[in-house]
Amino acid sequence: AQSVTQLGSHVSVSEGALVLLRCNYSSSVPPYLFWYVQYPNQGLQLLLKYTTGATLVKGINGFEAEFKKSETSFHLTKPSAHMSDAAEYFCAVSPTGGGNKLTFGTGTQLKVEL
Amino acid sequence: DAGITQSPRYKITETGRQVTLMCHQTWSHSYMFWYRQDLGHGLRLIYYSAAADITDKGEVPDGYVVSRSKTENFPLTLESATRSQTSVYFCASGRQETNTEAFFGQGTRLTVV
């Protein structure tokens, strides 16, 4: 069975500072990996995904994530936080064997302060 | 407009009542999913469907029923609502290819009183 752990349910950064949201997964084989963002009272929007190929993936709004198989991690980063980045972020995995079922982490609420 | 829509957006119902949440997608995606979102749990899969007339249980299926007679619709029914089913429910759809993401609706906030 797959599982996802997001360290830190709440993260607070200053505007302009580095954003780092942590995600570790547990899976018998490397899964497909996703980061979603949720703004208040809205559905989830895909930020980026890793399936195969380059382990550093770039997404929307300046976010990127690096797949590290040896660390079973897929941390999300952004060099410079903006007020509009304040939202909840979810890491998710799906099996490469098919089914497209996403297993989500518990989410990290990002707060951006002036 | 193309996309995935859920209705209603907000619903209050009483314990023991049957309630159906609707989901409609216009992309002809093969897969459709129902998740519930609760504080501290993230999103948990209730049921999913790989195609019309094919459904399967997810992580938390108890108390829910689904059907998929048409590719574009995937209603979720709570047969006898309980307070523990108070949650935000998200419908999602996705293509058949395994390396693709799911696309989410806006959610339905259900309160069972």
Side-chain angles (χ1 to χ4, degrees), chain B residues 49-112:
Chain B
S49 169
D53 298 322
I54 301 174
T55 62
D56 207 348
K57 296 178 180 179
E59 181 185 353
V60 288
D62 293 343
Y64 303 95
V65 174
V66 293
S67 62
R68 195 169 177 205
S69 57
K70 293 183 177 181
T71 298
E72 61 267 30
N73 296 324
F74 192 41
L76 176 73
T77 297
L78 288 67
E79 292 189 300
S80 178
T82 65
R83 289 197 179 93
S84 65
Q85 293 177 309
T86 292
S87 185
V88 180
Y89 291 85
F90 286 99
C91 180
S93 70
R95 296 190 296 271
Q96 184 150 6
E97 293 82 3
T98 57
N99 62 350
T100 59
E101 66 271 26
F103 298 84
F104 284 79
Q106 295 281 72
T108 295
R109 184 174 294 275
L110 176 68
T111 302
V112 183

Side-chain angles (χ1 to χ4, degrees), chain A residues 3-80:
Chain A
S3 66
V4 179
T5 301
Q6 291 185 242
L7 291 176
S9 59
H10 292 83
V11 170
S12 184
V13 301
S14 299
E15 191 173 35
L18 171 72
V19 175
L20 171 61
L21 305 182
R22 299 179 186 274
C23 173
N24 288 86
Y25 68 89
S26 174
S27 178
S28 56
V29 295
Y32 296 135
L33 296 153
F34 305 82
W35 274 100
Y36 281 84
V37 61
Q38 184 182 31
Y39 298 103
N41 297 316
Q42 292 190 26
L44 278 72
Q45 178 185 0
L46 182 72
L47 271 179
L48 49 80
K49 66 179 181 181
Y50 171 78
T51 55
T52 58
T55 56
L56 180 64
V57 293
K58 297 185 184 298
I60 62 172
N61 302 337
F63 284 93
E64 60 182 35
E66 186 171 11
F67 169 57
K68 291 187 177 181
K69 183 179 176 180
S70 61
E71 299 178 7
T72 60
S73 69
F74 191 55
H75 302 330
L76 181 71
T77 60
K78 183 175 180 178
S80 177

